[in-house]
Every structure is written in C-alpha cells, then in structure tokens.
Amino acid sequence: MTEPVSRRALLGTVAAGAGGLLLAGCDRVNRSPAARALLQSAEQAHLASQRLLGGQALAPEFTRADLSPDFRANGNHQANGNPDWVRHRESGFADWRLRLDGLVLRPLELSLEALRALPQRRQITRHDCVEGWSAIGEWAGPQLGTILRAATLLPAARYLVFHCADSFGPVPYYESIDLIDAFHPQTILALAMNGQPLPVRHGAPARLRVERQLGYKQAKYVMRIEARATLAGLYGGKGGYWEDRKDYAWYAGI
Ligand SMILES: Nc1nc2c(c(=O)[nH]1)N[C@H]1C(S)=C(S)[C@@H](COP(=O)(O)O)O[C@H]1N2
Ligand SMILES: [Mo]
C-alpha cells in the first residue's frame, strides 16, 4: 500500500469508532440517538457497514454460466462529442493514453499496451443500475491500486476522480471514489468484457469497475484519473455527473 501511514491510521480509527458503536447490539443501536443518526440514510449505513468490514469486503462473484446473454448499455453509447476520443477510436486506440495526475508524486501516461502488461484481475459481477435493471458480466483489467502505487499518492490525496471523454450536452461525465474503494481488490480499470476488448458502448478503451457500488459510479470512456484532496470546486462539487445533476448519492453502496 502506498497510502500514507497517517491516513491508514486515521481510517483505522474511524472504523474502530463506528465498530464500537454498531457492535453494541441491535436494540441498543436502534435506541441510541447517535446510532440512529449514523444509520439515518442508506448511504451512511452502507458506508458504515462496508467500512466496518475493514473496507475490503468483496462484492459477490459469479461464474461464466451466470453471464447475462444481453448486457444492456446505458447512458452514452459512445463519446461522440469528443473529437479526441473519436480520433483514438478510429485508430484502434493505438495512441490513446490514460493520464494519472493531480496529487501524485509521479504523473503517468499509460498506453493500452502498458495497462495490458500489468497483472490483470478477472471478475464476474452483477451491475445494478438505479433505473431498475441488473446484468452479470465478466470484467478484466489492472487493479487501480497497482496504477496508484506506480504513481504514488501524495499525503493530501483523498479522492480519485475519473474524467470521461463523453458528455451530456456541454457537461462532461465524471465520477469519484475514496481511497478505500480505490485500493479495494475488485476496483479495476476494465479493458475487457466477457473475454473481448471492452466494446465501445460499454466504455472503450477503459472503464472503472468499483463493484460494491451502483451503475452510475462505473465510469466509462475514462481518459484521466485525478487525485484530489477535495471534490469541492469540481463541476457541481458533489463528485459525479449524476450526483451534481440529480442529487444521486455519492456513496452508492449496493
Ligand atoms: N462515461 C460514462 N460513464 C457512465 C455512464 C455514461 O453515460 N457515461 N452511464 C452510467 C450508468 S447510469 C450506468 S448504469 C453504466 C452503464 O454501463 P453499461 O453501458 O456498460 O451498461 O455506466 C455508467 N457510467
Ligand atoms: Mo445507471
């Protein structure tokens, strides 16, 4: 882990504090105003329970027999408003580079070849969209943690922002996650789906899979990953396109 010691210690303290509270027993938890406040929203409950499990609880994984025959595409089906992305698609993404910058010691520009040369994690997971559909797909690509370790986060980094090539009208799609999800073993930059290079409609050439959260967090057409201290000051300030636009939860735990 390249997470600075101070941050790991801090996260540990937070988890231990919440743990003490929640492990006090369900009845007492329900009666305690502090606990009720903590559990008030589903967002906080998910965050608390996943963080209680050390932040590393795994989303369920499935087998090839479970793959959905028709995995729907949602949102943008290509980043057609973006001339850079169109040019890259036309040349098979040969000159495409993923940028990793912001609060890192060594900013990186990684080609698809470089990303494919890293150890790949393969996982068959269920995608849940808030619009009420789910699909099971197989994803493969390097763990985000591997890439972050290569760049080395600076101590002030607390969020990873995924800047996408597509937009809705003039407003670019973007998403963000915290460091616990960033270093979670199932958080990958997917380059392949169901054994094939990531199809255009599913976010070619690279998309985020952050498996314990809902569909809109799974940023497609990722062009740049930015390490930041805060989400304030970025677009609407809520950490994602739908969060800004429709007040969707930033932590979209399943
Ligand atoms: N860049 C980008 N990422 C995106 C979207 C989008 O429109 N643009 N839609 C989101 C939503 S709401 C869902 S459900 C999933 C859909 O992924 P899929 O097209 O692979 O099914 O991508 C998410 N990530
Ligand atoms: Mo979605």
Side-chain angles (χ1 to χ4, degrees), residues 74 127-131 133 215-216:
N74 204 29
H127 175 108
D128 294 315
C129 172
V130 281
E131 289 167 15
W133 58 274
Y216 59 88

PDB file of all heavy atoms in Angstrom, residues 74 127-131 133 215-216, ligand 2:
ATOM      1  N   ASN A  74     -25.968   1.559 -21.162  1.00  0.00           N
ATOM      2  CA  ASN A  74     -26.794   2.648 -20.647  1.00  0.00           C
ATOM      3  C   ASN A  74     -26.009   3.955 -20.660  1.00  0.00           C
ATOM      4  O   ASN A  74     -24.792   3.962 -20.705  1.00  0.00           O
ATOM      5  CB  ASN A  74     -27.247   2.328 -19.215  1.00  0.00           C
ATOM      6  CG  ASN A  74     -28.512   3.080 -18.853  1.00  0.00           C
ATOM      7  OD1 ASN A  74     -29.326   3.384 -19.721  1.00  0.00           O
ATOM      8  ND2 ASN A  74     -28.673   3.379 -17.583  1.00  0.00           N
ATOM      9  N   HIS A 127     -23.953  -5.954 -12.175  1.00  0.00           N
ATOM     10  CA  HIS A 127     -24.071  -4.497 -12.326  1.00  0.00           C
ATOM     11  C   HIS A 127     -25.522  -4.136 -12.029  1.00  0.00           C
ATOM     12  O   HIS A 127     -26.434  -4.712 -12.616  1.00  0.00           O
ATOM     13  CB  HIS A 127     -23.693  -4.167 -13.777  1.00  0.00           C
ATOM     14  CG  HIS A 127     -23.864  -2.736 -14.172  1.00  0.00           C
ATOM     15  ND1 HIS A 127     -22.794  -1.909 -14.379  1.00  0.00           N
ATOM     16  CD2 HIS A 127     -24.964  -2.005 -14.439  1.00  0.00           C
ATOM     17  CE1 HIS A 127     -23.241  -0.706 -14.740  1.00  0.00           C
ATOM     18  NE2 HIS A 127     -24.548  -0.740 -14.786  1.00  0.00           N
ATOM     19  N   ASP A 128     -25.738  -3.195 -11.120  1.00  0.00           N
ATOM     20  CA  ASP A 128     -27.092  -2.773 -10.769  1.00  0.00           C
ATOM     21  C   ASP A 128     -27.274  -1.304 -11.112  1.00  0.00           C
ATOM     22  O   ASP A 128     -26.591  -0.445 -10.545  1.00  0.00           O
ATOM     23  CB  ASP A 128     -27.336  -2.940  -9.261  1.00  0.00           C
ATOM     24  CG  ASP A 128     -27.316  -4.397  -8.820  1.00  0.00           C
ATOM     25  OD1 ASP A 128     -27.934  -5.226  -9.511  1.00  0.00           O
ATOM     26  OD2 ASP A 128     -26.687  -4.695  -7.792  1.00  0.00           O
ATOM     27  N   CYS A 129     -28.194  -1.028 -12.019  1.00  0.00           N
ATOM     28  CA  CYS A 129     -28.484   0.363 -12.390  1.00  0.00           C
ATOM     29  C   CYS A 129     -29.681   0.853 -11.578  1.00  0.00           C
ATOM     30  O   CYS A 129     -30.639   0.108 -11.378  1.00  0.00           O
ATOM     31  CB  CYS A 129     -28.783   0.456 -13.882  1.00  0.00           C
ATOM     32  SG  CYS A 129     -29.381   2.085 -14.379  1.00  0.00           S
ATOM     33  N   VAL A 130     -29.630   2.100 -11.137  1.00  0.00           N
ATOM     34  CA  VAL A 130     -30.744   2.664 -10.359  1.00  0.00           C
ATOM     35  C   VAL A 130     -32.047   2.685 -11.141  1.00  0.00           C
ATOM     36  O   VAL A 130     -33.113   2.809 -10.561  1.00  0.00           O
ATOM     37  CB  VAL A 130     -30.497   4.124  -9.892  1.00  0.00           C
ATOM     38  CG1 VAL A 130     -29.592   4.168  -8.700  1.00  0.00           C
ATOM     39  CG2 VAL A 130     -29.981   4.991 -11.010  1.00  0.00           C
ATOM     40  N   GLU A 131     -31.936   2.582 -12.458  1.00  0.00           N
ATOM     41  CA  GLU A 131     -33.168   2.601 -13.248  1.00  0.00           C
ATOM     42  C   GLU A 131     -33.929   1.284 -13.134  1.00  0.00           C
ATOM     43  O   GLU A 131     -35.014   1.144 -13.692  1.00  0.00           O
ATOM     44  CB  GLU A 131     -32.838   2.895 -14.721  1.00  0.00           C
ATOM     45  CG  GLU A 131     -32.392   4.340 -14.913  1.00  0.00           C
ATOM     46  CD  GLU A 131     -31.758   4.587 -16.268  1.00  0.00           C
ATOM     47  OE1 GLU A 131     -31.915   3.735 -17.171  1.00  0.00           O
ATOM     48  OE2 GLU A 131     -31.089   5.616 -16.418  1.00  0.00           O
ATOM     49  N   TRP A 133     -32.518  -2.163 -13.532  1.00  0.00           N
ATOM     50  CA  TRP A 133     -32.109  -3.383 -14.227  1.00  0.00           C
ATOM     51  C   TRP A 133     -30.725  -3.797 -13.743  1.00  0.00           C
ATOM     52  O   TRP A 133     -29.967  -2.984 -13.230  1.00  0.00           O
ATOM     53  CB  TRP A 133     -32.094  -3.193 -15.752  1.00  0.00           C
ATOM     54  CG  TRP A 133     -31.185  -2.093 -16.222  1.00  0.00           C
ATOM     55  CD1 TRP A 133     -31.491  -0.777 -16.328  1.00  0.00           C
ATOM     56  CD2 TRP A 133     -29.802  -2.209 -16.599  1.00  0.00           C
ATOM     57  NE1 TRP A 133     -30.394  -0.058 -16.751  1.00  0.00           N
ATOM     58  CE2 TRP A 133     -29.343  -0.919 -16.932  1.00  0.00           C
ATOM     59  CE3 TRP A 133     -28.902  -3.283 -16.684  1.00  0.00           C
ATOM     60  CZ2 TRP A 133     -28.034  -0.660 -17.352  1.00  0.00           C
ATOM     61  CZ3 TRP A 133     -27.599  -3.033 -17.104  1.00  0.00           C
ATOM     62  CH2 TRP A 133     -27.188  -1.731 -17.431  1.00  0.00           C
ATOM     63  N   GLY A 215     -24.524   1.359 -10.696  1.00  0.00           N
ATOM     64  CA  GLY A 215     -24.109   1.530 -12.093  1.00  0.00           C
ATOM     65  C   GLY A 215     -23.506   2.874 -12.443  1.00  0.00           C
ATOM     66  O   GLY A 215     -22.524   2.934 -13.179  1.00  0.00           O
ATOM     67  N   TYR A 216     -24.090   3.945 -11.921  1.00  0.00           N
ATOM     68  CA  TYR A 216     -23.588   5.248 -12.384  1.00  0.00           C
ATOM     69  C   TYR A 216     -22.177   5.561 -11.912  1.00  0.00           C
ATOM     70  O   TYR A 216     -21.527   6.467 -12.443  1.00  0.00           O
ATOM     71  CB  TYR A 216     -24.559   6.396 -12.025  1.00  0.00           C
ATOM     72  CG  TYR A 216     -24.866   6.584 -10.558  1.00  0.00           C
ATOM     73  CD1 TYR A 216     -24.072   7.395  -9.757  1.00  0.00           C
ATOM     74  CD2 TYR A 216     -25.970   5.969  -9.985  1.00  0.00           C
ATOM     75  CE1 TYR A 216     -24.370   7.588  -8.416  1.00  0.00           C
ATOM     76  CE2 TYR A 216     -26.276   6.153  -8.645  1.00  0.00           C
ATOM     77  CZ  TYR A 216     -25.474   6.956  -7.866  1.00  0.00           C
ATOM     78  OH  TYR A 216     -25.776   7.142  -6.538  1.00  0.00           O
TER      79      TYR A 216
HETATM   80 MO    MO B   2     -27.360   3.507 -14.344  1.00  0.00          MO
END
